[in-house]
Amino acid sequence: MGIDMLRSKIVEERDTILFDEAVSCLNGGALRAAYITTWIATAESLKFKFYDMSSRDHEIKKEVISSIEDFEQKQKPTDNLLIRSAADFGLITSEQRLKLEHIKNMRGVYAHPLNTAPSENEVRLAIELSVNIVLSQPALLKHAFVSSLVTSIFENHHYLDDSTETVRNAATSTLNHIHPAVFSDFFKLLIENLNKISGDITKELFERRGSVFLDTLLKNPKNNFSVDLWQIDVLLHKYPLIITKVFVKKDYWSLLDESMKDSILGYLIEPIGNDGEFEIPSIENLTNVLNLYNGNLLNDRHIERFKSALEKCDVERKVSVGVPLEWYQEELISDLKTSNWYAQNPAVEAIVALGVEKVNTLNSEFLVELGRNILQAADGGSREAEAFVKSLSNSEFKLSPYIVEGVFLETFINEDKRFRFKKYRLESMMAAITAGEKETERILNNAIMLLEDCSQKSWFQEKTFEEYLEILSKIIANEHIKGIRRDSIERFSQVFKETRDRFKKEEEEEDVKLGI
């Protein structure tokens, strides 16, 4: 490699001074001086690297800098100390140490005036080794510093201010002084320590701090991340809680290969408990996977597995997570159809929690069916369903008019067009007439069509009919009921009377047939 190319590789301007002197000696034929100057350039570069690193690594300051200063004060050579320390703190490899020791030893040989001077090729090789091993390498910290750093992160309460911005700035700055070769080891140490303190509320400060360092490390452009080299598969099976929490984030999911994505998804949606059995996935896990789904980061098989895991979760959990309503809308109906309040109450709570905007995205026919089943649950004594029906006419309560329609219709006629009375007739009627003028007209028109085509499910209840018609009369008499709404109620009341008369006549005719 040419001298100019070697010079361009030197990272510190201060190191070019002695390098240039060595080259000048080489060009002038002073080969002995060139070799000696090359070693001096190497040793001085190592020394100043330690001084640079000591500002961050207290162990270097204590073990190396103090020794250098002690040696220099006693006028003892520091060459062996520098090489040994460079190897101990990971600045050079074992092989590089042997090469530097050879240059150092031969420096002593060539410094003796009676010994043969080095050849030009020997000088050039020494210069090249000096640049490649030392002068071209930044003063980056390795294993010893990383180990000490992790101790500070997770054990020293006052290491950094508990501010995310402060910690992130410190992490960014610190990583610029760590050799990328030890990034994978740093990652492993962070994961191990985060796993140790996970769930310990007394260690929350350290967990936040460690998480910021981990996040900053993964975002560092020099990290040369590799699933295999960083042994993510081994760490996943050893520390599944932490690894899944890290890589389920959108920023890092794409770093994984398909096999690793499959494994991490499995840990998230089918967590294994201490007893070795599968558990229901946590809300946090499900939310994280849903975020990947919303980001179009899951393949078809992932989505299929996700939906399968959700089938084992209750409605309440799906609502909390924000699962698309269309994925489990039928489950709302099936829960309401049970005679079990422990299933019905959560289903109603879920509908309320979803809110009008989400609920209104569903098909209108489904919403009518939903309303019918809510009324059925209320009629059966479900506390939440009863409260829901009673709140429908509240002016501050806004919900789909199709649900109101279902509740209203269910109070007197079922889906098979069979007439019978159920509770909450007044509440449902008030909800229907306060749903909006156009919606009231539509709901009552649909009710009229059903009345005209219905049949009795049970014995004729004239008293209940009269009570209902009386309610309608009072509503019509209300001076605030006007326009289309009033006309619709009057038509409905008229058809209701006709239905009453038809049922009464049919029952009288039946009595005649039976000779009663």
Side-chain angles (χ1 to χ4, degrees), residues 335-441:
D335 283 354
L336 288 169
K337 282 184 179 295
T338 68
S339 298
N340 185 350
W341 293 342
Y342 292 104
Q344 293 173 328
N345 287 332
V348 177
E349 289 174 340
I351 294 167
V352 174
L354 283 166
V356 63
E357 290 186 4
K358 287 186 179 179
V359 172
N360 285 354
T361 62
L362 298 176
N363 177 274
S364 59
E365 292 181 1
F366 176 84
L367 291 173
V368 171
E369 182 183 4
L370 187 62
R372 282 185 173 277
N373 281 275
I374 291 173
L375 190 282
Q376 290 172 15
D379 190 69
S382 163
R383 172 176 46 80
E384 294 298 329
E386 289 177 334
F388 183 94
V389 172
K390 290 177 181 177
S391 67
L392 282 177
S393 60
N394 188 324
S395 60
E396 297 180 358
F397 187 89
K398 303 296 180 184
L399 200 66
S400 165
Y402 293 103
I403 288 183
V404 171
E405 178 180 352
V407 170
F408 171 66
L409 295 177
E410 186 65 21
T411 59
F412 57 87
I413 192 167
N414 67 19
E415 292 166 300
D416 296 326
K417 298 180 182 179
R418 303 294 298 279
F419 191 99
R420 78 287 177 275
F421 282 112
K422 285 191 173 181
K423 295 188 291 185
Y424 302 106
R425 293 182 292 276
L426 174 59
E427 291 85 353
S428 65
M429 167 57 74
M430 295 307 298
I433 66 174
T434 57
E437 194 173 71
K438 292 292 184 182
E439 293 299 337
T440 296
E441 181 182 30

Side-chain angles (χ1 to χ4, degrees), residues 152-153 155-162 205-206 209:
S152 295
I153 291 171
E155 296 182 18
N156 186 347
H157 184 93
H158 298 298
Y159 172 59
L160 289 169
D161 178 40
D162 188 22
L205 180 148
F206 300 119
R209 186 188 291 168

Side-chain angles (χ1 to χ4, degrees), residues 2 15 33 59 115 133 145 174 189 207 219 235 252 293-294 316 370 401 416 418 425 483:
D15 289 339
E59 187 176 353
N115 290 335
I133 296 174
F145 172 72
T174 303
L189 288 172
E207 184 174 8
K219 288 178 178 176
L235 294 174
Y252 307 134
Y293 168 79
N294 291 333
E316 215 170 355
L370 187 62
D416 296 326
R418 303 294 298 279
R425 293 182 292 276

Side-chain angles (χ1 to χ4, degrees), residues 283 286-287 290-291 293-294 306 310 315-328 353-354 358:
I283 289 177
L286 294 174
T287 301
L290 184 63
N291 287 338
Y293 168 79
N294 291 333
F306 183 34
L310 286 169
V315 170
E316 215 170 355
R317 181 158 301 213
K318 293 170 188 173
V319 173
S320 297
V321 170
V323 174
L325 183 51
E326 59 269 20
W327 288 11
Y328 63 94
L354 283 166
K358 287 186 179 179

